């Protein structure tokens, strides 16, 4: 009898290009993958892999079996989601998010996933958008939440929501209600995210505007660090308003009015459509329900800051 583990081994060897990569993805040894493939091939009169190639390339018969294997794995995903029991087979879920997600609603997302799938192995990664999408393309992560989509038929993109961006600075620099003029803005350094961040291309028309020739800039790849630098009085910056509202409430940051308007920061969910599609779709729906970029920056009940 054929087994799902044999189908899974064939599918991932064919998809990732080697027995070693498939073993790493499935968290088993290379010899285990070889054994499963050997068991599968023994049932057919024709080989499933071309042994003359250095890479693990499927034969014509192998490609036919791979298509069947993919269908079987998709049906197994649907059956697992329908059952939704704690006895569902465990598997790895490699989730990539930006620091904005990690510092707000990621803990609740992970807790919800673990509650629904107790046997799952979670592997969250926090990185800049460019790094996350690169790792998604390389199949090193499976599911990404970030402010950009990748236009390729092997990926599904879902819009998650948008965030208002505002100019911010320390009240020590500016605490007025009138619109800050260009001359007044250029008196201070610009604190901005580094090139790998999606804020850079989104804000290109603002921060690279020849009408705003900042004499000095300080780049950083962490949004929370930028908020701290701005609160210290080192310059002006651009931050998500809701996420850093507590800084404003505490009097550490001030929202500046400027003639240079800022675009919205849109967030998206991106995942592969060739495996675990039903599971990823459910995680996407959970993400939509839980998405709240103000969550962890709200003052916890009963907590006294400064103690």
């Amino acid at each position: 009898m054929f087994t799902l583990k044999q189908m899974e081994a064939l599918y991932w060897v064919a998809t990732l290009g080697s027995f070693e990569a498939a073993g790493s993805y499935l968290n088993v040894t290379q010899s285990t993958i070889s054994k499963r493939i050997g068991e599968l091939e023994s049932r057919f009169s024709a080989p499933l892999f071309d042994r003359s190639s250095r890479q693990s390339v499927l034969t014509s018969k192998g490609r036919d079996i791979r298509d069947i294997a993919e269908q079987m794995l998709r049906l197994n995903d649907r059956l697992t989601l329908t059952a939704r029991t704690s006895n569902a087979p465990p598997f790895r879920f490699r989730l990539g998010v930006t620091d904005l997600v990690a510092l707000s609603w990621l803990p609740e997302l992970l807790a919800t996933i673990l509650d629904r799938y107790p046997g799952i192995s979670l592997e969250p990664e926090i990185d800049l958008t460019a790094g996350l999408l690169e790792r998604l393309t390389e199949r090193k992560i499976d599911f990404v939440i970030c402010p950009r989509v990748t236009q390729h038929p092997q990926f599904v993109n879902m819009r998650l929501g948008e965030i208002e961006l505002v100019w911010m600075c320390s009240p020590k620099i500016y605490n007025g209600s009138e619109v800050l003029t260009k001359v007044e803005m250029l008196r201070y350094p610009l604190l901005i995210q580094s090139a790998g961040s999606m804020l850079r291309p989104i804000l290109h028309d603002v921060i690279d505007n020849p009408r705003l020739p900042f004499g000095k800039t300080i780049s950083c790849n962490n949004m929370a660090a930028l908020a701290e630098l701005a609160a210290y009085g080192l310059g002006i910056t651009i931050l998500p308003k809701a996420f850093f509202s507590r800084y404003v409430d505490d009097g550490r940051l001030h929202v500046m009015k400027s003639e240079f308007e800022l675009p919205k920061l849109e967030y998206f969910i991106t995942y592969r459509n060739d495996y675990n599609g039903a599971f990823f779709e459910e995680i996407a729906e959970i993400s939509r329900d839980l998405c709240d970029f103000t969550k962890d920056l709200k003052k916890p009940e009963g907590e006294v800051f400064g103690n």
Side-chain angles (χ1 to χ4, degrees), residues 57-73:
V57 180
L58 291 172
T59 62
S60 175
K61 173 63 70 174
R63 289 192 294 271
D64 291 341
I65 303 305
R66 179 198 177 280
D67 292 342
I68 296 172
E70 181 177 1
Q71 295 177 48
M72 291 177 66
L73 293 172

Side-chain angles (χ1 to χ4, degrees), residues 54-289:
R54 283 189 172 184
Q55 289 190 320
S56 302
V57 180
L58 291 172
T59 62
S60 175
K61 173 63 70 174
R63 289 192 294 271
D64 291 341
I65 303 305
R66 179 198 177 280
D67 292 342
I68 296 172
E70 181 177 1
Q71 295 177 48
M72 291 177 66
L73 293 172
R74 286 183 181 274
L75 288 172
N76 183 64
D77 289 342
R78 290 178 59 187
L79 187 60
T80 299
L81 289 174
T82 301
R84 288 186 180 176
T85 70
S86 59
N87 296 321
F91 56 98
R92 299 163 66 198
F93 178 41
R94 304 172 300 176
L95 166 67
V97 302
T98 62
D99 58 352
L100 198 57
V101 179
L103 292 170
S104 52
W105 52 279
L106 177 64
E108 187 173 2
L109 174 62
L110 298 184
T112 302
I113 295 172
L114 285 172
D115 181 63
R116 190 166 298 188
Y117 300 97
I120 200 169
S121 175
L122 292 176
E123 298 181 13
E125 294 188 22
I126 295 92
D127 199 354
L128 298 177
T129 293
L132 292 175
L133 292 179
E134 180 179 352
R135 290 179 64 75
L136 182 68
T137 302
E138 294 173 349
R139 294 184 179 273
K140 293 180 179 178
I141 51 179
D142 309 304
F143 188 103
V144 165
I145 301 174
C146 69
R148 193 172 75 190
V149 298
T150 176
Q151 298 297 341
H152 194 285
Q154 67 183 355
F155 297 114
V156 174
N157 297 296
M158 298 175 62
R159 187 176 180 276
L160 186 59
E162 62 182 24
I163 304 171
E164 181 184 2
L165 297 173
V166 294
W167 294 95
M168 285 189 171
C169 68
S170 167
K172 294 181 289 187
I173 288 180
Y174 170 78
N175 200 21
S177 59
E178 67 277 6
V179 175
L180 207 64
T181 68
K182 178 183 74 172
V183 173
E184 291 172 320
M185 292 179 67
L186 294 178
R187 291 177 184 171
Y188 310 105
L190 175 64
L191 312 175
I192 196 67
Q193 283 209 339
S194 52
S197 166
M198 264 312 297
L199 277 185
R200 291 302 289 258
I202 289 173
L203 297 173
H204 172 76
D205 292 339
V206 178
I207 61 179
D208 297 319
N209 190 332
R211 294 177 56 209
L212 266 181
F214 284 96
K216 185 175 183 179
T217 60
I218 299 175
S219 298
C220 178
N221 67 355
N222 184 279
M223 202 172 291
L226 284 177
E228 292 294 333
L229 295 177
Y232 194 79
L234 292 181
I236 63 177
T237 190
I238 299 171
L239 295 170
K241 182 178 180 180
F243 188 71
F244 290 97
S245 60
R246 184 166 62 83
Y247 280 69
V248 178
D249 296 339
D250 292 346
R252 301 181 63 201
L253 286 176
H254 176 72
V255 176
M256 304 161 45
K257 294 182 180 179
S258 168
E259 61 184 275
F260 296 94
E261 295 184 2
L262 300 173
K264 301 283 187 180
L265 178 63
E266 285 193 292
Y267 259 76
F268 299 88
I269 295 167
T270 302
Y271 58 87
R272 292 192 164 275
N273 64 7
D274 59 356
Y275 192 60
N276 285 331
F279 170 75
F280 292 154
E281 184 176 347
E282 178 154 345
I283 299 302
E285 289 304 318
I286 294 173
S287 299
R288 282 178 161 177
D289 292 339

Side-chain angles (χ1 to χ4, degrees), residues 30-47:
Q30 183 175 340
S31 61
T32 298
I33 295 295
S34 298
K35 181 176 182 293
R36 292 173 183 175
I37 294 297
E39 293 170 346
L40 184 60
E41 284 191 306
S42 68
R43 305 291 300 276
F44 298 93
S45 58

